[in-house]
Amino acid sequence: MQAIRSRDTGPEHAIRSLLHAAGLRYRVCARPLPDLRRTADIVFRPVKIAVFVDGCYWHGCPEHYVPPKTNPGYWSDKVARNIARDRDTDSRLAEAGWTVLRFWEHEPAAECAVLIADAIALRRAAVSPGPGSPRTGGAGRTSAP
C-alpha cells in the first residue's frame, strides 16, 4: 500500500505537462474549498475548475474495474465508499460554483487536456467583463457629441 501514489501519478503528470505547455497555470493536489478536506489533482482557482484524474481500480471504472479475489468484502466496500465520496465532492463543489472535471486514468492525456482548456476558456469568457465596463479601462465606450 505504501507504493501506491496519491499524487503525481503518470496520467496526472502527462495531463499537467500538456496544460503547462499550453500556457495554463494551476495548483497541484490542492483543496478547492478550504473547509472541504478533499484535494483535487489540478485546481484552477480563478475560474473555479477542479480536475480529478481517477484510478480505474480505486474509483470503480465501469470498463476496467475487476473485483479483487483477496478479501473481496473489504475492497469492494472501499471502492464503493470512494465512489460515494466522489459524488459527494462533486455535489459540494457544484453548490459552491465550481466546475468539476473527472477523467479516468486510461483516457488519453491529450484529449483530457483539450477538454480542460476548453472548460477554462468557457469559464473565462463567462466571467470576463464586457466592453465599456470599468475593469476594461473604458475600452469600447463611445463618447457623446
Side-chain angles (χ1 to χ4, degrees), residues 12 14 17 37-38 48 52 59 63 75 79 84 94 102 107 110 112 114 121 123 134:
E12 286 176 37
S17 294
R37 288 190 52 206
R38 296 173 191 160
K48 291 187 172 185
F52 297 88
H59 296 270
E63 292 180 40
W75 290 111
V79 171
R102 285 194 178 271
E107 293 184 71
C112 298
V114 167
R123 288 295 291 249

Side-chain angles (χ1 to χ4, degrees), residues 85-106:
R85 186 185 64 235
D86 292 344
R87 298 304 148 250
D88 180 58
T89 301
D90 294 351
S91 66
R92 288 184 187 208
L93 289 174
E95 287 171 8
W98 284 71
T99 297
V100 177
L101 301 175
R102 285 194 178 271
F103 301 100
W104 293 109
E105 67 180 345
H106 66 264

Side-chain angles (χ1 to χ4, degrees), residues 3-141:
I4 297 170
R5 302 180 71 103
S6 63
R7 63 177 280 182
D8 296 332
T9 63
E12 286 176 37
H13 194 290
I15 292 170
R16 289 192 329 237
S17 294
L18 292 168
L19 293 172
H20 194 274
L24 298 172
R25 300 301 179 254
Y26 45 82
R27 297 283 175 206
V28 176
C29 197
R31 288 182 183 182
L33 300 174
D35 57 336
L36 185 63
R37 288 190 52 206
R38 296 173 191 160
T39 59
D41 298 317
I42 305 167
V43 176
F44 298 90
R45 281 202 176 101
V47 289
K48 291 187 172 185
I49 293 179
V51 179
F52 297 88
V53 182
D54 295 335
C56 289
Y57 178 78
W58 299 106
H59 296 270
C61 172
E63 292 180 40
H64 299 110
Y65 177 71
V66 177
K69 295 191 182 359
T70 306
N71 202 359
Y74 173 78
W75 290 111
S76 294
D77 289 347
K78 168 75 173 149
V79 171
R81 287 191 311 268
N82 288 349
I83 293 169
R85 186 185 64 235
D86 292 344
R87 298 304 148 250
D88 180 58
T89 301
D90 294 351
S91 66
R92 288 184 187 208
L93 289 174
E95 287 171 8
W98 284 71
T99 297
V100 177
L101 301 175
R102 285 194 178 271
F103 301 100
W104 293 109
E105 67 180 345
H106 66 264
E107 293 184 71
E111 290 177 18
C112 298
V114 167
L115 291 171
I116 294 167
D118 289 347
I120 291 168
L122 251 153
R123 288 295 291 249
R124 283 182 178 161
V127 298
S128 68
S133 69
R135 297 188 76 190
T136 61
R141 277 192 267 175

